[in-house]
Amino acid sequence: MPYIMTLISLWGADSFIKRRIEKGDFTGEKPLADGKIVVKRHHNRGAMLNLGDNNQYFIALLSLVFSAFVTGIFAATLGQKGKGILKTGLALMLGGAYSNTYDRLRRKYVVDYLSFRLLSAETCRSQLVGKLVTRFNGVVFNLGDFGIIIGAMLLVISELCSK
């Protein structure tokens, strides 16, 4: 039951924040934590980093198929004893996947709203690193994205620890 609650909580929290971001007269950027975190509305019409934004139907279908596949794995593992890291990882992945898939099907884009400005490109000695920092500073995430990323890392950990 805690794994299902994790999934529902992440999906619900991300959906709630997305609704608030979309409903409000939210324009521009709102810096938090001394400007290290920035809240801003971004509509991602593709997959990660707007990849595939010219083929939204395919991305939505792929997202739906992936969500269904992982749901099947999650359902199969729920009845098994142990495997807490695996179940937690799948729950986090699905919470994020359900939220983003819902957006793709309903809105035709995913609402992203969190960006990080941890470094300044001007402070980098290397031009290449400065370009990477600038690129990272422009990426906008949502809570579901973190669920997918952390969940995937937990899946890898669970696989490495099970041998």
Side-chain angles (χ1 to χ4, degrees):
M1 189 64 164
Y3 307 108
I4 293 173
M5 290 308 298
T6 298
L7 186 161
I8 291 170
S9 297
L10 177 58
W11 184 10
D14 193 37
S15 297
F16 174 78
I17 294 168
K18 288 175 178 179
R19 270 194 306 282
R20 293 289 310 262
I21 293 289
E22 287 291 280
K23 265 186 164 181
D25 297 323
F26 198 90
T27 57
E29 299 181 354
K30 181 179 180 180
L32 304 171
D34 295 326
K36 301 288 184 198
I37 300 172
V38 178
V39 177
K40 65 181 184 178
R41 181 173 55 189
H42 176 74
H43 294 164
N44 183 346
R45 299 192 184 283
M48 180 180 68
L49 302 173
N50 272 337
L51 296 173
D53 60 346
N54 293 329
N55 200 345
Q56 294 170 314
Y57 174 79
F58 176 73
I59 296 298
L61 181 63
L62 193 63
S63 184
L64 194 59
V65 167
F66 171 77
S67 296
F69 179 74
V70 176
T71 298
I73 295 170
F74 183 62
T77 62
L78 278 178
Q80 298 176 6
K81 288 205 177 254
K83 300 192 178 193
I85 295 173
L86 174 65
K87 292 176 192 176
T88 302
L90 290 168
L92 289 171
M93 285 180 68
L94 285 173
Y98 288 172
S99 179
N100 288 344
T101 300
Y102 175 83
D103 274 4
R104 284 188 181 95
L105 296 174
R106 172 91 178 178
R107 293 186 170 110
K108 308 296 185 226
Y109 57 83
V110 175
V111 178
D112 290 329
Y113 49 82
L114 282 176
S115 190
F116 298 92
R117 308 281 163 72
L118 303 177
L119 297 172
S120 170
E122 292 78 36
T123 62
C124 299
R125 293 182 190 181
S126 163
Q127 209 172 17
L128 174 63
V129 173
K131 286 181 182 182
L132 290 172
V133 166
T134 300
R135 177 100 168 132
F136 178 77
N137 286 344
V139 177
V140 187
F141 302 92
N142 62 47
L143 198 57
D145 295 336
F146 293 114
I148 293 168
I149 292 166
I150 294 167
M153 290 176 5
L154 289 175
L155 289 179
V156 170
I157 290 168
S158 74
E159 212 29 57
L160 292 174
C161 294
S162 69
K163 295 184 178 188

